[in-house]
Amino acid sequence: MIIRSLRLRNIRSYVDETISFPTGSVLLSGDIGSGKTSILLALEFAIFGIMKGVLTGNTLLRHGASKGSVELSFTLGKDNVSIKRSLKRTSSGVVQEPGTLTINDKVFEGTPQELKARILELIGYPETLLTKSKSLIFRYTVFTPQEEMKRILYENREERLDILRKLFNIDKYKRVKENSLNYIRELKNKVSVLQGKLEILPDKKQELEEYDKQVEELKEKLEDKEGELSDIKDEFEKVKKGFDKLEQELEELKKVEKECEVKKSEFSSFTKQLERGEAELKKVNSMLDELLKGLEGFDISKAEEIKETIKRKKEELKKIDKKLSEINSRKSEFKTKKEASEIIIKKITDLDVCPTCQQKITLKHAKEVNAREQVIIKTCETNLERLEEWNKKLSGKKRAIEEEIDNYIRGEKELEAKKVKLDALEEKKERKKNLEKELSDLKDKKSKHKEVIKELEQRLEQQKDKKEEFEKAKQELEDKREEKDKLEKAVVEKKTQLQTINKLIERLKQEIDRMKQDEKKLSQLQEIKTWMQDHFIILVDVIEKSILARIYNEFNAFFQEWFNTLLEDEALSVRLDDSFSPVIEQNGYETWLDNLSGGEKTSVALAYRLALNKVINDFLSTIRTRDLIILDEPTDGFSSEQLDRVREVLDQINVAQGIIVSHEAKMESFVDSIIRVRKQGHESKIF
Ligand SMILES: Nc1ncnc2c1ncn2[C@@H]1O[C@H](COP(=O)(O)OP(=O)(O)OP(=O)(O)O)[C@@H](O)[C@H]1O
Ligand SMILES: [Mg+2]
């Protein structure tokens, strides 16, 4: 990781400032309180965000500002990375806001926690740091704040070892050992539980054997019963066949019985019909006698004769009527003529002129006319008398004919009535004929039915034992069926018993299988337990010790080397004890850090810090911050001579980018570039 630039907005003494960092050694130079540490804290914040109890939002956000932010750009191998994190003041304190991580122009926005996860992955720090409040690796490799170094030196043995274990990730061995012991305890529990469970295994095996025996016995019995059942089934089928035949025959018999019943009932109905028919015939016969009596002497041909006579008489009557009408018209002719003559006679005596010849009526003429008219009158009267006589004669004849016609009509009516009787007679005769036919048919049918009934009754008589035979066969069939059912039931019972025992066996086998698996598991667990107890824990111990030994050797060697470089005093020597505590010897006497001078203390601290940095970078291969080291006031209390030695040490470290905070003017000559920080008013600026 090489830092390229850092922009601070409202961070501690900064309002808005961007600082560019070159590679090589860079000196952050400035007076006390000018804003140097603020830059380093902002850098740490950019990478990890705020860390509870270590780096708080309140420490970072400028007094009075409601918002602040840090933007850090750096290169990581070939990648250009920049991170922006923001802070906001709220009623409950200063909080972080979501930020962005840009890798080669690819922007990722996320919560502070998401950003931290991405960055840890990017710089190859262990994931476990994500939930931790501080990054020990960063703090002991890249940037150790001024007070932090002294803390590790003054910490008690156990705590120091604890910090170092965490740093080198070897506290995992301690955890492995603790967990192994817990696991062994658990294994012991499991083993004793399994042993308890397996105590009943021999009993279960014996139980299984007994069940197997029972199954064998049951199978034998079942076979016997099945043999019996098959025999009885054959017998049953045989009996059933006979029974079925009888049943069919009986069915036929029932049909015959029914038919016989039907025929009998038909026979009695024929008898009744016959009785009724005979009674009717009797009645018809007496009616016929009566009708015949009424028609005695009746000749149908007379009726035609009478009809002819009536016709003829009516024509005769018509002729007489015609003649009578002619007589009457001639009579009125003569009457008119007579009256005309009488009028003429009467008029001729009273008139002077003749109305016919227009001559003056003379007496003579009057006499002649009178005589002539008298003749006419006489003739008329004679004719009238003759006509009257004829009329009388004809009228008498007419009356006689009319009387005759009446008599004939009466006779005709009588004949008609007889004819009706004759028709009735014919009808009765027809009925009689039909009845006689019906009766003879009925008699026929009756006699045929009688024969059929006789025949059917004979058949029934012949078969009368069938019913008894059938009942017997039925009973036999029932007995066989009962026997068969009993055997079937016995077979089913045996099968069910067998099934139940088989199920029990199945369950028992499964149980035994499970127990066998448990047995296997038990021996595996015991093996694991022994292996863990007798080998694994010892092995972990050995590994831990060997790693610690390697760390110790390297750490101790660099510590001694750099201490000797920084402080060329033969009377004073340093080394590490087995808990990585610095042991200081002065003139052969062991002494304690507090007893040393300020410069000597700083020398021990810096040598320890740089040695630790070296060892961590060597042991933790994944971390990608090994190019960068930040030293905040590493030379506190150093003499001018010692400052020259710092240069040597820095050359030995040989990192790509070293940021050193110091207000020692001499330091300026050691470094490749200088960043000057100054505070004006309440605002820090870069010059
Ligand atoms: N939240 C803050 N808001 C404003 N100023 C602050 C805030 N916190 C600290 N300061 C001030 O910012 C200034 C810079 O502090 P910083 O720790 O960066 O100084 P320094 O240059 O490292 O000093 P030294 O050389 O003493 O270590 C100091 O005056 C400090 O009191
Ligand atoms: Mg400072």
Side-chain angles (χ1 to χ4, degrees), residues 522-581:
L522 178 68
S523 86
Q524 279 173 354
L525 288 181
Q526 278 169 329
E527 236 174 76
I528 294 171
K529 195 189 85 187
T530 315
W531 178 78
M532 287 197 77
Q533 261 176 344
D534 301 348
H535 306 285
F536 183 67
I537 290 185
I538 294 166
L539 182 73
V540 173
D541 217 33
V542 170
I543 293 171
E544 186 191 14
K545 280 196 179 121
S546 89
I547 290 173
L548 273 173
R550 269 179 59 210
I551 292 169
Y552 175 83
N553 288 338
E554 197 178 322
F555 196 174
N556 192 40
F558 280 116
F559 179 46
Q560 286 181 331
E561 190 186 332
W562 281 329
F563 180 76
N564 292 335
T565 311
L566 286 170
L567 201 80
E568 220 171 53
D569 183 351
E570 287 188 359
L572 209 60
S573 72
V574 289
R575 65 179 168 83
L576 294 174
D577 69 6
D578 56 0
S579 67
F580 296 89
S581 310

Side-chain angles (χ1 to χ4, degrees), residues 35-53:
K36 304 180 293 294
T37 300
S38 299
I39 293 172
L40 306 182
L41 292 175
L43 198 140
E44 196 179 18
F45 166 67
I47 298 171
F48 298 102
I50 58 177
M51 292 181 274
K52 222 177 167 189

Side-chain angles (χ1 to χ4, degrees), residues 151-189:
R151 247 191 66 208
I152 193 171
L153 288 175
Y154 286 101
E155 216 69 84
N156 69 41
R157 281 169 59 96
E158 273 315 303
E159 276 175 47
R160 184 180 312 108
L161 251 179
D162 212 43
I163 293 172
L164 291 170
R165 272 181 206 283
K166 280 180 187 148
L167 264 174
F168 289 106
N169 202 19
I170 46 175
D171 63 326
K172 68 183 173 200
Y173 295 106
K174 194 177 153 201
R175 280 203 311 279
V176 168
K177 275 193 279 179
E178 282 165 6
N179 288 343
S180 299
L181 286 172
N182 284 339
Y183 187 53
I184 289 168
R185 218 169 297 133
E186 224 173 274
L187 282 178
K188 276 183 186 163
N189 281 342

Side-chain angles (χ1 to χ4, degrees), residues 328-342:
N328 279 334
S329 78
R330 285 195 62 195
K331 259 170 88 179
S332 50
E333 263 175 46
F334 283 120
K335 265 181 192 167
T336 313
K337 222 173 178 178
K338 184 189 164 194
E339 277 165 10
S341 294
E342 281 170 348

Side-chain angles (χ1 to χ4, degrees), residues 357-479:
C357 60
Q358 300 298 323
Q359 291 174 30
K360 207 168 169 202
I361 300 170
T362 62
L363 198 54
K364 189 192 165 196
H365 186 64
K367 277 182 182 172
E368 278 172 11
V369 170
N370 197 12
R372 194 188 65 210
E373 288 306 316
Q374 284 294 352
V375 171
I376 293 171
I377 289 169
K378 190 84 184 161
T379 316
C380 282
E381 279 172 351
T382 319
N383 277 326
L384 276 169
E385 270 169 33
R386 203 171 28 94
L387 280 171
E388 189 55 35
E389 214 171 296
W390 200 9
N391 190 13
K392 258 183 201 164
K393 214 170 145 188
L394 276 177
S395 292
K397 205 176 177 182
K398 184 185 170 186
R399 267 194 307 277
I401 290 172
E402 275 172 350
E403 229 167 87
E404 234 178 312
I405 286 173
D406 280 349
N407 285 335
Y408 279 119
I409 285 173
R410 226 172 288 130
E412 194 184 22
K413 272 185 187 157
E414 268 170 36
L415 275 174
E416 280 299 323
K418 285 201 174 161
K419 212 180 159 197
V420 169
K421 276 186 186 170
L422 194 66
D423 286 345
L425 183 76
E426 286 310 312
E427 195 191 289
K428 291 295 167 202
K429 273 184 186 165
E430 188 63 29
R431 178 68 193 133
K432 187 184 170 186
K433 206 169 121 196
N434 288 341
L435 260 174
E436 279 165 353
K437 170 91 174 64
E438 276 170 29
L439 290 176
S440 121
D441 286 351
L442 272 172
K443 273 176 195 161
D444 260 9
K445 276 189 195 169
K446 235 179 117 177
S447 76
K448 272 180 194 154
H449 261 57
K450 206 173 179 176
E451 264 169 47
V452 171
I453 289 167
K454 201 173 153 193
E455 201 184 308
L456 290 173
E457 276 175 344
Q458 269 170 3
R459 269 174 75 186
L460 285 173
E461 180 61 26
Q462 279 162 9
Q463 304 273 332
K464 72 175 180 215
D465 297 336
K466 271 281 181 282
K467 271 189 190 165
E468 215 173 298
E469 215 179 310
F470 174 76
E471 286 307 320
K472 239 191 232 166
K474 197 175 169 187
Q475 189 53 48
E476 197 183 353
L477 189 69
E478 272 318 301
D479 293 346

